[in-house]
Amino acid sequence: MSQEKLWGGRFTAPTDAFVEAFTASVEFDQRLYKYDIQGSIAHAQMLAHVGVLTPDECNQIVQGLNEIQQEIEQGKFEWFIALEDVHMNIESRLTQKIGAVGKKLHTGRSRNDQIATDIRLYLRDEIEQINTELIRLLNALANLAEAEADTIMPGFTHLQTAQPTTFGHHLLAWSEMLLRDKSRFLDCSKRMNTMPLGAAALAGTSYPIDRNYTAKLLGFDTVAENSLDAVSDRDFAIEFTAAAALLMMHLSRFSEELVLWSSAQFNFIELSDAFTTGSSIMPQKKNPDVPELVRGKTGRIYGHLTSLLTLMKSQPLAYNKDNQEDKEPLFDTIDTLKGSLRVFADMIPTIQVRRESMRTAAKQGFSTATDLADYLVRKGVPFRDAHEIVGKAVQYCIQNQCELDNLNLEIFKSFSPLINEDVYEILTLEGSVAARNHIGGTAPNQVRAAVERLRGRLYR
Ligand code: ARG
């Protein structure tokens, strides 16, 4: 195939060989081939619709492009660095296949509006897939939360035992974060779904194009209002990467808990063999590599977000070649994110919960001390005084190495005469979680209701 530059006319000397490789993007932007072809087909159909191409010319172009797509998908397409990017590789091949008509495809268009369109089409598709993976993960969390609605575990603040909670309730904290992530992606997808085509290089085109026609063919909601903006800004890619960084931040925190919980010291869960690895020296080891890697990969996405922000920060209008650098961070963000979501959605249902260990841990650390204070408040003691009284009782327990519910009534009464036999009920773990019986609380029946609501919110 001819590797002649499609822009060679004004040049007399060839491109330096290293510069050719340095400026090329085809090694990575070939990933966009499907969207490039989809955009080209719509563009050609619009040109025929307005009479710039004849119906026959349009048919030849569309057929040629469809064949090229097959060649690419069958691994028969040869990509050339000399042809720089995905756009010119496909266009050259088209002309090679169908002759001079192929040279008409680029009428009223530039690679600048072409690439801005390709990335939007691509991201729109990827967001669909990310959304599907997120729903799968959220469903796995809903199922586990439902199964563990009654499972008592210690809730932490400062990683110190705070109050008893249920494992189901704890898991639903993660699903709330992931639901917000999901809505961020969908929101970003809506905003990016506007069509740059027609902006051409920067100022529009002198042909009688019908942008709404092309937009309809490509499923864009609107056409970009300003041609300079359309070809130059990559805020939509930054917005996507920011949403990805937030999602990875959540998965990283979740990973951290899985790592802690699966340690011998916590022993709250066991990750399945399929999602752990061994040590080459220590025979007993079962390492939580999957959550550790997700935690580690989060840094990459933060880096990509910084790269993209920095890429744009000093660019004058309109298109600059700098923008070619948007692709690798974006592609790696997508691959990393999809991989992390996939592995999480697969791993969550395989988690074995060590309910007894969780319960034993919840008994420690005076986790029901707040319940005792609330009990006194219900008997008329101001909260601050109740806090002080319970603090003294805890101090007594520490000195005597016992738990609050080991104290007999006589001792309890020495702290407050208002304490009666019914105190023992409120000091139980079950009593403590059941008491937090309101929307957003940890009571098992509230957790079950929240799971039901969560299932209904997944597809909105
Ligand atoms: N490979 C380029 C990019 O990714 C395509 C647009 C190039 N346009 C240009 N005038 N050099 O941004």
Side-chain angles (χ1 to χ4, degrees), residues 25 29 85 87 111-112 115 319 324 327:
S25 55
D29 70 11
D85 55 27
H87 322 296
R111 281 183 294 152
N112 298 351
I115 187 64
Y319 176 87
Q324 182 164 293
K327 286 167 205 62

Side-chain angles (χ1 to χ4, degrees), residues 163-184:
Q163 291 172 354
T165 182
T166 54
F167 190 41
H169 190 56
H170 191 108
L171 290 167
L172 291 181
W174 293 119
S175 63
E176 284 306 305
M177 298 180 223
L178 296 176
L179 266 182
R180 286 196 295 277
D181 290 319
K182 180 170 157 335
S183 79
R184 262 187 283 274

Side-chain angles (χ1 to χ4, degrees), residues 152-155 162-166 362 366-372 374 378 423-438 441-444:
I152 290 177
M153 70 179 284
Q163 291 172 354
T165 182
T166 54
F366 308 102
S367 64
T368 54
T370 315
D371 296 272
L372 179 55
D374 290 343
R378 284 196 297 275
V423 74
Y424 294 103
E425 170 60 24
I426 64 105
L427 289 176
T428 64
L429 297 173
E430 280 72 17
S432 174
V433 294
R436 283 149 179 83
N437 187 18
H438 51 76
T442 195

